[in-house]
Amino acid sequence: MGDVAKDLSAGTIGGVAQLVVGHPFDTIKVKLQSQPTPLPGQLPRYSGAIDAVKQTVAAEGPRGLYKGMGAPLATVAAFNAVLFTVRGQMETLLRSHPGATLTVNQQVICGAGAGIAVSFLACPTELIKCRLQAQSTLAGTGTATMAVKYGGPMDVARQVLRSEGGIRGLFKGLVPTMAREVPGNAAMFGVYEALKRLLAGGTDTSELDRGSLLLAGGLAGAAYWLAVYPTDVVKSVIQIDDYKNPKFSGSIDAFRRISASEGFKGLYKGFGPAMARSVPANAACFLAYEMTRSALG
């Protein structure tokens, strides 16, 4: 089996592990990001992450925490296959000779290149996921920005294609998606490789145990969100914004208005659940990837 096929297979399995572990945290993150700013004297719908979990489970049952998983599950194979395969091909491109060990800075470049590629898959997937996750938060509020109700991932796609400009509508938020994926993946892969070498005591990381891989993968995932979280908040509000009566004119306008109305904290809504998800989900992803890649030879 060639290197591309190995990366495709290992990336797919890693992505499934990441999704199963991390999706409930992601649901809470999006709910906190998308809840409307309360009027003066009013309390926010959710007081925090724990309250969002309690309300979601009470209203929708445990399945509510996995709402919107159909879209990323349907594309997780393609997303992670592209991410790890492009990264692998960039590693090959940057090596001075076959088998040469890349520097951490070169791994950062590989991560950034992979981020560009996956942005085109992430954008429509994230749009569908965010709308499904956010609609229960926005429903029935006087400041709701998303009036349409969706029956599922395919229904979101159909309605967007029909009434929001066709294919272009599915790529709403591509700029902030790319602004998240490029630096985020650069940071994640750079930190992952640096930590593996630190734990191995050198550049040969082939003998690291599972605990070390879990630790490196989890902290690498945390580095991703530390690098780009405000961009993710902007992406989410842009993607759930109403097409006919938009609240924001673009990413810069969204950033400015969130900052003006909610302050610095507004750009970090849902940060707790994102970080809580990031560590176990990425630990699972990298461990599954490394084990599968090793098993394939």
CSV table of all heavy atoms in Angstrom, one decimal, residues 18-32 46 48-70 72 129 132-134 136-137 273 277:
chain,number,residue,atom,x,y,z
A,18,GLN,N,-12.1,11.0,16.5
A,18,GLN,CA,-12.2,12.4,16.9
A,18,GLN,C,-13.6,12.8,17.0
A,18,GLN,O,-14.1,13.5,18.0
A,18,GLN,CB,-11.4,13.3,16.0
A,18,GLN,CG,-11.4,14.7,16.3
A,18,GLN,CD,-10.8,15.6,15.2
A,18,GLN,OE1,-11.1,15.5,14.1
A,18,GLN,NE2,-9.8,16.4,15.6
A,19,LEU,N,-14.4,12.5,16.0
A,19,LEU,CA,-15.8,12.9,16.0
A,19,LEU,C,-16.7,12.3,17.1
A,19,LEU,O,-17.4,13.0,17.8
A,19,LEU,CB,-16.4,12.6,14.6
A,19,LEU,CG,-17.9,13.1,14.4
A,19,LEU,CD1,-17.9,14.6,14.3
A,19,LEU,CD2,-18.4,12.5,13.0
A,20,VAL,N,-16.5,11.0,17.3
A,20,VAL,CA,-17.3,10.3,18.3
A,20,VAL,C,-17.0,10.9,19.7
A,20,VAL,O,-17.9,11.1,20.5
A,20,VAL,CB,-17.0,8.8,18.3
A,20,VAL,CG1,-17.7,8.1,19.5
A,20,VAL,CG2,-17.6,8.2,17.0
A,21,VAL,N,-15.8,11.1,20.0
A,21,VAL,CA,-15.4,11.6,21.3
A,21,VAL,C,-15.8,13.1,21.5
A,21,VAL,O,-16.2,13.5,22.5
A,21,VAL,CB,-13.9,11.5,21.5
A,21,VAL,CG1,-13.4,12.2,22.8
A,21,VAL,CG2,-13.5,10.0,21.6
A,22,GLY,N,-15.6,13.9,20.4
A,22,GLY,CA,-15.7,15.3,20.6
A,22,GLY,C,-17.0,16.0,20.2
A,22,GLY,O,-17.2,17.2,20.6
A,23,HIS,N,-17.9,15.4,19.5
A,23,HIS,CA,-19.1,16.1,19.0
A,23,HIS,C,-20.0,16.7,20.1
A,23,HIS,O,-20.5,17.8,19.9
A,23,HIS,CB,-19.9,15.2,18.1
A,23,HIS,CG,-21.0,16.0,17.3
A,23,HIS,ND1,-20.7,16.7,16.2
A,23,HIS,CD2,-22.3,16.2,17.6
A,23,HIS,CE1,-21.7,17.3,15.7
A,23,HIS,NE2,-22.7,17.0,16.6
A,24,PRO,N,-20.3,16.0,21.2
A,24,PRO,CA,-21.1,16.6,22.2
A,24,PRO,C,-20.5,18.0,22.8
A,24,PRO,O,-21.3,18.9,23.0
A,24,PRO,CB,-21.2,15.6,23.4
A,24,PRO,CG,-21.0,14.3,22.7
A,24,PRO,CD,-19.9,14.6,21.6
A,25,PHE,N,-19.2,18.0,22.9
A,25,PHE,CA,-18.6,19.3,23.3
A,25,PHE,C,-18.8,20.3,22.3
A,25,PHE,O,-19.0,21.5,22.6
A,25,PHE,CB,-17.1,19.0,23.6
A,25,PHE,CG,-16.7,18.1,24.7
A,25,PHE,CD1,-16.5,16.8,24.4
A,25,PHE,CD2,-16.7,18.5,26.0
A,25,PHE,CE1,-16.2,15.9,25.5
A,25,PHE,CE2,-16.4,17.7,27.0
A,25,PHE,CZ,-16.1,16.3,26.8
A,26,ASP,N,-18.7,19.9,21.0
A,26,ASP,CA,-18.8,20.9,19.9
A,26,ASP,C,-20.3,21.5,19.9
A,26,ASP,O,-20.5,22.6,19.6
A,26,ASP,CB,-18.5,20.2,18.6
A,26,ASP,CG,-18.4,21.2,17.5
A,26,ASP,OD1,-17.5,22.0,17.5
A,26,ASP,OD2,-19.2,21.2,16.5
A,27,THR,N,-21.2,20.6,20.2
A,27,THR,CA,-22.6,21.1,20.2
A,27,THR,C,-22.8,22.2,21.2
A,27,THR,O,-23.4,23.2,21.0
A,27,THR,CB,-23.6,19.9,20.5
A,27,THR,OG1,-23.5,18.9,19.4
A,27,THR,CG2,-25.0,20.4,20.6
A,28,ILE,N,-22.3,22.0,22.4
A,28,ILE,CA,-22.4,23.0,23.5
A,28,ILE,C,-21.6,24.2,23.1
A,28,ILE,O,-22.1,25.4,23.4
A,28,ILE,CB,-21.8,22.4,24.8
A,28,ILE,CG1,-22.7,21.2,25.2
A,28,ILE,CG2,-21.9,23.5,25.9
A,28,ILE,CD1,-24.2,21.5,25.3
A,29,LYS,N,-20.5,24.1,22.5
A,29,LYS,CA,-19.7,25.3,22.0
A,29,LYS,C,-20.5,26.2,21.1
A,29,LYS,O,-20.6,27.4,21.3
A,29,LYS,CB,-18.4,24.8,21.3
A,29,LYS,CG,-17.7,26.0,20.6
A,29,LYS,CD,-16.4,25.5,20.0
A,29,LYS,CE,-16.7,24.7,18.7
A,29,LYS,NZ,-17.1,25.5,17.6
A,30,VAL,N,-21.2,25.5,20.1
A,30,VAL,CA,-21.9,26.3,19.1
A,30,VAL,C,-23.2,26.9,19.8
A,30,VAL,O,-23.5,28.0,19.5
A,30,VAL,CB,-22.3,25.4,17.9
A,30,VAL,CG1,-23.3,26.1,17.0
A,30,VAL,CG2,-21.1,25.0,17.1
A,31,LYS,N,-23.8,26.2,20.7
A,31,LYS,CA,-25.0,26.8,21.4
A,31,LYS,C,-24.6,28.0,22.2
A,31,LYS,O,-25.3,29.0,22.1
A,31,LYS,CB,-25.6,25.7,22.3
A,31,LYS,CG,-26.4,24.7,21.6
A,31,LYS,CD,-27.0,23.7,22.6
A,31,LYS,CE,-27.9,22.6,21.9
A,31,LYS,NZ,-29.2,23.2,21.5
A,32,LEU,N,-23.5,28.0,22.8
A,32,LEU,CA,-23.0,29.2,23.6
A,32,LEU,C,-22.6,30.3,22.6
A,32,LEU,O,-22.9,31.5,22.9
A,32,LEU,CB,-21.8,28.8,24.5
A,32,LEU,CG,-22.2,27.9,25.7
A,32,LEU,CD1,-20.9,27.4,26.4
A,32,LEU,CD2,-23.1,28.6,26.6
A,46,TYR,N,-28.3,30.6,28.3
A,46,TYR,CA,-27.4,29.6,29.0
A,46,TYR,C,-26.5,30.4,29.9
A,46,TYR,O,-25.8,31.3,29.4
A,46,TYR,CB,-26.7,28.8,28.0
A,46,TYR,CG,-27.5,28.0,27.0
A,46,TYR,CD1,-27.4,28.3,25.7
A,46,TYR,CD2,-28.4,27.1,27.4
A,46,TYR,CE1,-28.2,27.6,24.7
A,46,TYR,CE2,-29.2,26.4,26.5
A,46,TYR,CZ,-29.1,26.7,25.2
A,46,TYR,OH,-29.8,26.0,24.2
A,48,GLY,N,-23.8,29.1,31.2
A,48,GLY,CA,-22.5,28.5,31.0
A,48,GLY,C,-22.6,27.2,30.3
A,48,GLY,O,-23.7,26.7,30.0
A,49,ALA,N,-21.5,26.5,30.2
A,49,ALA,CA,-21.5,25.2,29.5
A,49,ALA,C,-22.3,24.1,30.2
A,49,ALA,O,-23.1,23.4,29.6
A,49,ALA,CB,-20.0,24.7,29.4
A,50,ILE,N,-22.2,24.0,31.6
A,50,ILE,CA,-22.9,23.0,32.3
A,50,ILE,C,-24.4,23.3,32.2
A,50,ILE,O,-25.2,22.3,32.0
A,50,ILE,CB,-22.5,23.0,33.8
A,50,ILE,CG1,-21.0,22.7,34.0
A,50,ILE,CG2,-23.4,22.0,34.6
A,50,ILE,CD1,-20.6,21.4,33.4
A,51,ASP,N,-24.8,24.5,32.2
A,51,ASP,CA,-26.3,24.9,32.1
A,51,ASP,C,-26.8,24.5,30.7
A,51,ASP,O,-27.9,24.0,30.5
A,51,ASP,CB,-26.5,26.3,32.4
A,51,ASP,CG,-27.9,26.7,32.3
A,51,ASP,OD1,-28.8,26.0,32.9
A,51,ASP,OD2,-28.3,27.8,31.6
A,52,ALA,N,-25.9,24.7,29.7
A,52,ALA,CA,-26.3,24.4,28.3
A,52,ALA,C,-26.5,22.9,28.1
A,52,ALA,O,-27.4,22.4,27.5
A,52,ALA,CB,-25.2,24.9,27.3
A,53,VAL,N,-25.6,22.1,28.8
A,53,VAL,CA,-25.7,20.6,28.8
A,53,VAL,C,-27.0,20.2,29.4
A,53,VAL,O,-27.8,19.4,28.9
A,53,VAL,CB,-24.5,19.9,29.5
A,53,VAL,CG1,-24.8,18.4,29.6
A,53,VAL,CG2,-23.3,20.2,28.7
A,54,LYS,N,-27.3,20.8,30.6
A,54,LYS,CA,-28.6,20.4,31.3
A,54,LYS,C,-29.8,20.8,30.5
A,54,LYS,O,-30.7,19.9,30.4
A,54,LYS,CB,-28.6,21.1,32.7
A,54,LYS,CG,-27.6,20.6,33.7
A,54,LYS,CD,-27.7,21.5,35.0
A,54,LYS,CE,-26.6,21.0,36.0
A,54,LYS,NZ,-26.7,21.8,37.2
A,55,GLN,N,-29.8,21.9,29.9
A,55,GLN,CA,-31.0,22.4,29.2
A,55,GLN,C,-31.2,21.5,27.9
A,55,GLN,O,-32.3,21.2,27.5
A,55,GLN,CB,-30.9,23.8,28.8
A,55,GLN,CG,-31.1,24.8,30.0
A,55,GLN,CD,-31.4,26.2,29.5
A,55,GLN,OE1,-32.2,26.4,28.6
A,55,GLN,NE2,-30.8,27.2,30.2
A,56,THR,N,-30.1,21.2,27.2
A,56,THR,CA,-30.1,20.4,26.0
A,56,THR,C,-30.6,19.0,26.3
A,56,THR,O,-31.5,18.5,25.6
A,56,THR,CB,-28.7,20.4,25.4
A,56,THR,OG1,-28.3,21.7,25.0
A,56,THR,CG2,-28.8,19.5,24.1
A,57,VAL,N,-30.1,18.4,27.3
A,57,VAL,CA,-30.5,17.0,27.7
A,57,VAL,C,-32.0,17.0,28.1
A,57,VAL,O,-32.8,16.1,27.8
A,57,VAL,CB,-29.6,16.4,28.7
A,57,VAL,CG1,-30.1,15.1,29.2
A,57,VAL,CG2,-28.2,16.2,28.2
A,58,ALA,N,-32.4,18.0,28.9
A,58,ALA,CA,-33.8,18.1,29.4
A,58,ALA,C,-34.7,18.3,28.2
A,58,ALA,O,-35.8,17.7,28.2
A,58,ALA,CB,-33.9,19.3,30.4
A,59,ALA,N,-34.4,19.1,27.2
A,59,ALA,CA,-35.3,19.4,26.1
A,59,ALA,C,-35.2,18.4,25.0
A,59,ALA,O,-36.3,18.1,24.4
A,59,ALA,CB,-35.0,20.8,25.6
A,60,GLU,N,-34.1,17.8,24.8
A,60,GLU,CA,-33.9,17.0,23.6
A,60,GLU,C,-33.4,15.6,23.9
A,60,GLU,O,-33.3,14.7,23.0
A,60,GLU,CB,-32.9,17.6,22.6
A,60,GLU,CG,-33.3,19.1,22.2
A,60,GLU,CD,-32.3,19.7,21.4
A,60,GLU,OE1,-31.9,19.2,20.3
A,60,GLU,OE2,-31.8,20.8,21.8
A,61,GLY,N,-33.1,15.3,25.1
A,61,GLY,CA,-32.5,14.0,25.5
A,61,GLY,C,-31.0,14.0,25.2
A,61,GLY,O,-30.5,14.9,24.5
A,62,PRO,N,-30.3,12.9,25.5
A,62,PRO,CA,-28.9,12.8,25.2
A,62,PRO,C,-28.6,12.9,23.7
A,62,PRO,O,-27.5,13.4,23.3
A,62,PRO,CB,-28.5,11.4,25.7
A,62,PRO,CG,-29.5,11.1,26.8
A,62,PRO,CD,-30.8,11.8,26.3
A,63,ARG,N,-29.5,12.5,22.9
A,63,ARG,CA,-29.3,12.6,21.4
A,63,ARG,C,-29.1,14.1,21.0
A,63,ARG,O,-28.5,14.3,20.0
A,63,ARG,CB,-30.5,12.0,20.7
A,63,ARG,CG,-30.6,10.5,20.8
A,63,ARG,CD,-31.8,10.0,20.0
A,63,ARG,NE,-31.7,10.3,18.6
A,63,ARG,CZ,-32.7,10.0,17.7
A,63,ARG,NH1,-33.8,9.4,18.2
A,63,ARG,NH2,-32.5,10.3,16.5
A,64,GLY,N,-29.6,15.0,21.8
A,64,GLY,CA,-29.5,16.4,21.4
A,64,GLY,C,-28.0,16.8,21.4
A,64,GLY,O,-27.7,17.8,20.7
A,65,LEU,N,-27.2,16.2,22.2
A,65,LEU,CA,-25.8,16.5,22.2
A,65,LEU,C,-25.1,16.0,20.9
A,65,LEU,O,-23.9,16.5,20.6
A,65,LEU,CB,-25.1,15.8,23.4
A,65,LEU,CG,-25.6,16.3,24.8
A,65,LEU,CD1,-25.0,15.5,25.9
A,65,LEU,CD2,-25.2,17.8,25.0
A,66,TYR,N,-25.7,15.2,20.2
A,66,TYR,CA,-25.1,14.7,18.9
A,66,TYR,C,-25.8,15.2,17.7
A,66,TYR,O,-25.6,14.8,16.6
A,66,TYR,CB,-25.1,13.1,18.9
A,66,TYR,CG,-24.1,12.5,19.7
A,66,TYR,CD1,-24.3,12.2,21.1
A,66,TYR,CD2,-22.8,12.3,19.2
A,66,TYR,CE1,-23.3,11.7,21.9
A,66,TYR,CE2,-21.8,11.7,20.0
A,66,TYR,CZ,-22.0,11.4,21.3
A,66,TYR,OH,-21.0,10.9,22.1
A,67,LYS,N,-26.6,16.3,17.9
A,67,LYS,CA,-27.4,16.9,16.8
A,67,LYS,C,-26.3,17.5,15.8
A,67,LYS,O,-25.3,18.1,16.2
A,67,LYS,CB,-28.3,18.0,17.3
A,67,LYS,CG,-29.1,18.7,16.2
A,67,LYS,CD,-30.2,19.6,16.8
A,67,LYS,CE,-31.3,18.8,17.3
A,67,LYS,NZ,-32.4,19.7,17.8
A,68,GLY,N,-26.6,17.3,14.5
A,68,GLY,CA,-25.7,17.8,13.5
A,68,GLY,C,-24.5,16.9,13.2
A,68,GLY,O,-23.7,17.3,12.4
A,69,MET,N,-24.5,15.7,13.8
A,69,MET,CA,-23.3,14.9,13.6
A,69,MET,C,-23.4,14.2,12.3
A,69,MET,O,-22.3,13.8,11.7
A,69,MET,CB,-23.2,13.8,14.7
A,69,MET,CG,-21.8,13.2,14.7
A,69,MET,SD,-21.5,12.0,16.1
A,69,MET,CE,-22.3,10.6,15.5
A,70,GLY,N,-24.6,14.1,11.7
A,70,GLY,CA,-24.7,13.5,10.4
A,70,GLY,C,-23.8,14.1,9.3
A,70,GLY,O,-23.1,13.4,8.5
A,72,PRO,N,-20.9,16.1,9.6
A,72,PRO,CA,-19.4,15.8,9.7
A,72,PRO,C,-19.2,14.3,9.6
A,72,PRO,O,-18.1,13.9,9.1
A,72,PRO,CB,-19.1,16.3,11.1
A,72,PRO,CG,-20.3,16.5,11.8
A,72,PRO,CD,-21.4,16.8,10.8
A,129,LYS,N,-23.6,21.8,10.0
A,129,LYS,CA,-23.5,21.5,11.4
A,129,LYS,C,-24.0,22.6,12.3
A,129,LYS,O,-24.8,22.4,13.3
A,129,LYS,CB,-22.1,21.0,11.8
A,129,LYS,CG,-21.9,20.7,13.2
A,129,LYS,CD,-20.4,20.3,13.5
A,129,LYS,CE,-19.5,21.4,13.3
A,129,LYS,NZ,-19.6,22.5,14.3
A,132,LEU,N,-27.8,23.3,12.3
A,132,LEU,CA,-28.5,22.3,13.1
A,132,LEU,C,-28.3,22.5,14.6
A,132,LEU,O,-29.3,22.4,15.4
A,132,LEU,CB,-28.1,20.9,12.6
A,132,LEU,CG,-28.6,20.5,11.2
A,132,LEU,CD1,-28.0,19.2,10.8
A,132,LEU,CD2,-30.1,20.4,11.2
A,133,GLN,N,-27.1,22.7,15.0
A,133,GLN,CA,-26.8,22.9,16.4
A,133,GLN,C,-27.4,24.1,17.0
A,133,GLN,O,-27.8,24.2,18.1
A,133,GLN,CB,-25.3,22.9,16.6
A,133,GLN,CG,-24.6,21.5,16.4
A,133,GLN,CD,-23.1,21.6,16.5
A,133,GLN,OE1,-22.5,22.6,16.1
A,133,GLN,NE2,-22.5,20.6,16.9
A,134,ALA,N,-27.5,25.2,16.2
A,134,ALA,CA,-27.9,26.5,16.7
A,134,ALA,C,-29.4,26.7,16.7
A,134,ALA,O,-29.9,27.6,17.4
A,134,ALA,CB,-27.2,27.6,15.9
A,136,SER,N,-32.0,25.3,17.8
A,136,SER,CA,-32.8,25.2,19.0
A,136,SER,C,-32.5,26.3,20.0
A,136,SER,O,-33.3,26.7,20.8
A,136,SER,CB,-32.5,23.8,19.7
A,136,SER,OG,-31.2,23.7,20.1
A,137,THR,N,-31.3,26.9,19.9
A,137,THR,CA,-30.9,28.0,20.7
A,137,THR,C,-31.6,29.3,20.2
A,137,THR,O,-32.1,30.1,21.0
A,137,THR,CB,-29.4,28.3,20.6
A,137,THR,OG1,-28.7,27.1,21.1
A,137,THR,CG2,-28.9,29.4,21.5
A,273,PRO,N,-16.0,24.6,26.5
A,273,PRO,CA,-16.4,23.4,25.9
A,273,PRO,C,-15.4,23.0,24.7
A,273,PRO,O,-15.1,21.9,24.5
A,273,PRO,CB,-17.8,23.6,25.4
A,273,PRO,CG,-18.4,24.7,26.2
A,273,PRO,CD,-17.2,25.5,26.6
A,277,ARG,N,-13.3,19.7,24.7
A,277,ARG,CA,-13.5,18.8,23.6
A,277,ARG,C,-12.1,18.5,22.9
A,277,ARG,O,-11.8,17.4,22.6
A,277,ARG,CB,-14.4,19.3,22.5
A,277,ARG,CG,-14.4,18.6,21.2
A,277,ARG,CD,-15.1,19.4,20.1
A,277,ARG,NE,-15.0,18.8,18.8
A,277,ARG,CZ,-14.0,18.9,18.0
A,277,ARG,NH1,-12.9,19.6,18.3
A,277,ARG,NH2,-14.0,18.3,16.8
